[in-house]
Amino acid sequence: MRYTFRMAVSAGKQHGVHYTPVKLACFLAGQIGLQVKSMPELVCSAKNPLRILDPACGDGELLIALINALPCPAQHLAVTGFELDPAAADKARDRLALSGVQSIDIVTADFLQPESVEPAMSDFDIVIANPPYVRTQVLGGLQAQALARRFGLTGRVDLYQAFSIAMGQILRPGGVLGLLTSNRFLTVKSGAKLRARLVQDFSIQEIFDLGDTKLFSAAVLPVVVIAVKRGGIAPTDSDAGSQQANFRRVYLAEGAMTAVEISRSRDSILEVLSRGALGGAVHTSEGEFMIERGHLLQPENESVWSLSNGATRNWLKQVNSRSSARFGELAEIKVGIKTTADAVFIRDDWDSLPTDLRPEPELLRPLLTHHVARSWSAAPAATGTEKKVLYPYQTGVQGRMPIELADFPAAAAYLNLHYDRLAGRQYVSDAGRNWYEIWVPQQPSKWQLPKIVWPDISTAPRFFLDHSGAIVNGDCYWMRLREGVDPDWLYLMLAVANSSIATTFYDTVFHNKLYSGRRRFMSQYVQEFPVPELRSPVGQSIVRLVQQLVQHSTKAKLEKLESLVRTSFGLD
């Protein structure tokens, strides 16, 4: 299979390749060079050259940067690269020919194909890579499943995950890995297997979460990982439990920085990091950034990778000591419906359709989207802009039962008007579903119960209570209490979700941010939010105040609630 995507390449640029920017290539290579310098056992000579690999080398930018960064002569290096694009491979050969290395082997082949890596092409001393970044929907189901089986991956497989595991397999014990990839793998479920393999096979040395530094031209937030393969004589190879990898996180500074003393530099943010910045706010030639510094919180099994320092450890210890439950223990958390054909199923102009094409009223259900999401209660939609979804399922029944089109002639006529598009969703029919069904419909009977709804992506929490029975769209998540749970818990959870406690907890434990400080409030994160004791006096005060806020909020009530929530966790 030919992979034409690389990190920071969108689906609209399938025939182009975006390689690692020079500054970022030099930064990654420099960090590898520092690691090699600290390992005197990595000796090289003309007879025993250091063997270097880039499994997706492009035009050779990373390899050139690494040759210049290593603390040994170029003539003591043997370079291997894999590249599918013949033109890029030729350019890499031409560039490396001028570098003075002892040997060059650029293979025009797919690194992930078993026959590509011969037995002689193993036991590399150093692997440097910015592997292809290609998601499941681009790879195709069969290819994604094959990679998942081969490399033990689960969830939404991405090509960079398979590359990362394969790179570890061809490194010799004590060898150095320099990986540049998407920072999503640090915290998302689909990255769990990769995280587990890296902890199992490597001693992690350095992590640089480069966040929204915009070092790539597309919306990919990069991370750099420096690691040493276990089983050799690496300096930190003694015990996985004692691992204390340095962890630095860099994001654009949010809001005014008047309260923070800003160190100023004419250098780029990467140059500041290379000098070993201590942390805090820094003004660079590229703008203002916040640098957090700490260590990798020792991962357990497939847990997320988070930055830990004295302040975060103390804060989490205090919050956990006053937590009586987690959101996921009290409530079922789900994403909204996903039609995969929104233009057909979701409209705000159903009344404009001809009578014979206007679906029956009982099938047009109110829809909650991120547009109406605000804290405490949904914002009223402007007249004429209320979104409704054509929901082709029977209500009042357990489970999920699609309607019979013959019973709804107007809806049938409308859906048949879009038959080609709907029937073209092969995955729907492959799942044994009718061509006119919604891909992720959820269960109609559960919408009627009181629920908390919030947008998937938001700069600040916007959790609101809904009693209307409206359906939730796929750009939002929702939760309802588990059977038998006291209804008051829902108000206490709403208070926590909209407080600074939830934001700080999210940023400390998960920190899955997009550009401009936008957070991903996915179910896997929200289910871990802590809740204080409900039956305590402060817990009951919070419940009563939230019951007022969902009806009408005032600044005084919001300030009082924030204080009460902090007090409930012992943070007053």
Side-chain angles (χ1 to χ4, degrees), residues 174 187 208 380 449 473:
T187 58
F208 295 88
L449 299 171
N473 193 34

Side-chain angles (χ1 to χ4, degrees), residues 16 63 69 100 106 127 138 239 261 267 274 277 298 339 390 397 419 439 446 481 485 492 515 521 529 538 542 560:
L63 289 171
I106 303 299
V127 173
V138 180
D239 179 17
E261 183 178 350
D267 297 332
S274 296
Q298 175 57 38
T339 71
L390 170 54
V397 298
Y419 177 83
W439 176 235
K446 296 183 177 181
L481 294 176
V485 174
L492 187 58
Y515 288 111
F521 288 99
F529 281 7
V538 68
I542 290 172
K560 181 178 180 181

Side-chain angles (χ1 to χ4, degrees), residues 67-390:
I67 292 166
N68 293 329
L70 288 174
C72 49
Q75 60 267 30
H76 294 172
L77 303 176
V79 175
T80 300
F82 283 81
E83 176 55 47
L84 279 170
D85 182 354
D90 287 341
K91 186 174 181 180
R93 291 187 192 98
D94 292 341
R95 297 181 71 190
L96 289 165
L98 302 175
S99 66
V101 296
Q102 184 180 121
S103 65
I104 303 167
D105 186 12
I106 303 299
V107 184
T108 309
D110 178 6
F111 173 71
L112 289 185
Q113 294 302 320
E115 64 274 11
S116 296
V117 183
E118 301 174 1
M121 288 185 180
S122 60
D123 293 334
F124 285 92
D125 298 293
I126 302 172
V127 173
I128 184 171
N130 163 19
Y133 186 80
V134 187
R135 296 179 180 177
T136 301
Q137 58 266 40
V138 180
L139 283 173
L142 292 178
Q143 179 69 15
Q145 292 166 19
L147 291 174
R149 287 191 299 270
R150 181 179 168 194
F151 294 104
L153 300 170
T154 57
R156 297 180 178 179
V157 175
D158 196 292
L159 200 58
Y160 77 84
Q161 298 168 348
F163 262 78
S164 299
I165 293 175
M167 289 186 295
Q169 294 172 345
I170 52 84
L171 258 177
R172 71 167 181 80
V176 178
L177 171 67
L179 173 64
L180 168 64
T181 190
S182 165
N183 70 359
R184 282 177 54 82
F185 98 87
L186 299 175
T187 58
V188 297
K189 281 185 177 180
S190 61
K193 295 299 183 182
L194 175 56
R195 293 194 297 270
R197 284 295 296 272
L198 288 174
V199 171
Q200 172 188 323
D201 297 343
F202 289 89
S203 174
I204 312 298
Q205 302 297 306
E206 303 279 351
I207 300 173
F208 295 88
D209 179 357
L210 299 174
D212 59 352
T213 49
K214 298 183 179 179
L215 295 167
F216 279 101
S217 59
V220 175
L221 284 68
V223 65
V224 166
V225 178
I226 307 297
V228 177
K229 182 77 173 286
R230 293 193 184 280
I233 52 176
T236 56
D237 193 48
S238 56
D239 179 17
S242 64
Q243 183 170 302
Q244 281 287 303
N246 293 319
F247 197 144
R248 271 147 287 188
R249 179 187 289 142
V250 188
Y251 276 77
L252 284 169
E254 295 180 36
M257 303 301 298
T258 54
V260 181
E261 183 178 350
I262 301 175
S263 60
R264 297 188 175 273
S265 171
R266 294 180 180 178
D267 297 332
S268 70
I269 186 60
L270 291 178
E271 290 169 326
V272 172
L273 287 173
S274 296
R275 291 201 307 268
L278 295 178
V282 58
H283 181 90
T284 74
S285 59
E286 299 151 335
E288 293 178 0
F289 296 92
M290 284 297 298
I291 302 175
E292 294 179 75
R293 185 170 184 150
H295 293 92
L296 172 62
L297 184 64
Q298 175 57 38
E300 298 179 3
N301 300 322
E302 300 174 358
S303 59
V304 300
W305 286 11
S306 38
L307 184 152
S308 176
N309 53 38
T312 61
R313 283 194 298 272
N314 292 335
W315 190 89
L316 282 174
K317 182 178 180 180
Q318 175 61 39
V319 168
N320 290 333
S321 72
R322 299 290 288 269
S323 301
S324 64
R326 302 286 171 176
F327 277 30
E329 296 171 340
L330 300 169
E332 297 179 25
I333 303 177
K334 297 182 179 295
V335 71
I337 63 170
K338 295 182 182 293
T339 71
T340 62
D342 283 0
V344 176
F345 288 102
I346 299 174
R347 304 178 65 142
D348 57 14
D349 62 346
W350 293 105
D351 290 342
S352 68
L353 295 177
T355 304
D356 58 340
L357 291 177
R358 190 183 309 156
E360 286 73 8
E362 58 266 40
L363 298 183
L364 297 178
R365 304 285 299 275
L367 187 68
L368 297 172
T369 73
H370 77 277
H371 296 290
V372 301
R374 66 178 184 182
S375 298
W376 314 113
S377 58
T383 304
T385 64
E386 300 93 339
K387 296 281 186 182
K388 290 187 177 182
V389 59
L390 170 54

